[in-house]
Amino acid sequence: MRLIKTLLTVLILAVSFNVSAQKVKLKKGNVLVDGEQWLTYQECGMFDGVCSLYNSNESEIIFIKLVKIPGEEPRTQSNPDGNLVFTEVSFLGKDLKYEIKGKTYKGIIADLYKANVVNNDGSLNDEKVNRLIEKYGTAFSDRLNNTTIIINESSNNGSGVNIKIGN
């Protein structure tokens, strides 16, 4: 009896999550949410390094690009080159961006829709954009731009200064 109650609870939860989730599709240059056109896009394919989103006025408002920096992560069997790979989402005309790791273009677009970053008139909603940036930030580029300079006064010949620049 307990097993039946547990299965019923899981089934109800699964159905409720399925009902509330919007279905995002990228089809023939259109971003469709539950079958309705939201924005248009260019590129955004699985092998494209960039993705551009346009409003109904054909103005590019969001630019998404895949960033790959070799040698910035520990080298492992699954990452022998130590590549740091993340996606940068830029809100054009605002000079604002955030970075995220491990999501597809479609997943990022779904997040943008859920966050209501685009107003009904096709403009960017500053408050919602700022909230997303506050949530995700730019942790990867912040880490890369943080350079440490170490000045070491000891040397083999007793004169000069050794400087090491790096993380």
Side-chain angles (χ1 to χ4, degrees), residues 21-119:
Q22 284 84 19
K23 188 165 187 169
V24 174
K25 283 188 176 183
L26 302 178
K27 191 171 184 178
K28 296 181 182 178
N30 294 311
V31 178
L32 304 173
V33 180
D34 294 335
E36 297 291 321
Q37 183 177 337
W38 178 51
L39 298 172
T40 60
Y41 72 90
Q42 282 186 358
E43 299 175 75
C44 301
M46 192 163 135
F47 299 106
D48 292 321
V50 297
C51 175
S52 296
L53 300 177
Y54 298 83
N55 63 14
S56 58
N57 300 330
E58 297 182 15
S59 296
E60 186 177 15
I61 56 173
I62 299 171
F63 181 73
I64 306 168
K65 73 177 176 179
L66 187 65
V67 178
K68 180 175 154 182
I69 303 168
E72 286 297 325
E73 292 286 287
R75 296 178 193 279
T76 63
Q77 190 173 3
S78 62
N79 188 4
D81 295 329
N83 291 328
L84 170 62
V85 181
F86 62 93
T87 306
E88 180 182 272
V89 181
S90 299
F91 298 95
L92 302 178
K94 304 286 184 196
D95 194 29
L96 298 171
K97 65 182 175 182
Y98 73 86
E99 299 164 347
I100 193 162
K101 195 171 186 178
K103 285 208 173 196
T104 63
Y105 291 138
K106 187 176 171 181
I108 292 169
I109 292 168
D111 289 348
L112 292 169
Y113 179 80
K114 289 176 197 169
N116 294 313
V117 296
V118 179
N119 294 320

Side-chain angles (χ1 to χ4, degrees), residues 116-130:
N116 294 313
V117 296
V118 179
N119 294 320
N120 289 336
D121 65 359
S123 64
L124 291 171
N125 183 316
D126 292 337
E127 181 183 335
K128 303 292 183 171
V129 167
N130 288 331

Side-chain angles (χ1 to χ4, degrees), residues 1-10:
M1 187 65 167
R2 186 169 175 86
L3 178 63
I4 293 172
K5 285 183 179 180
T6 304
L7 287 174
L8 187 59
T9 302
V10 169

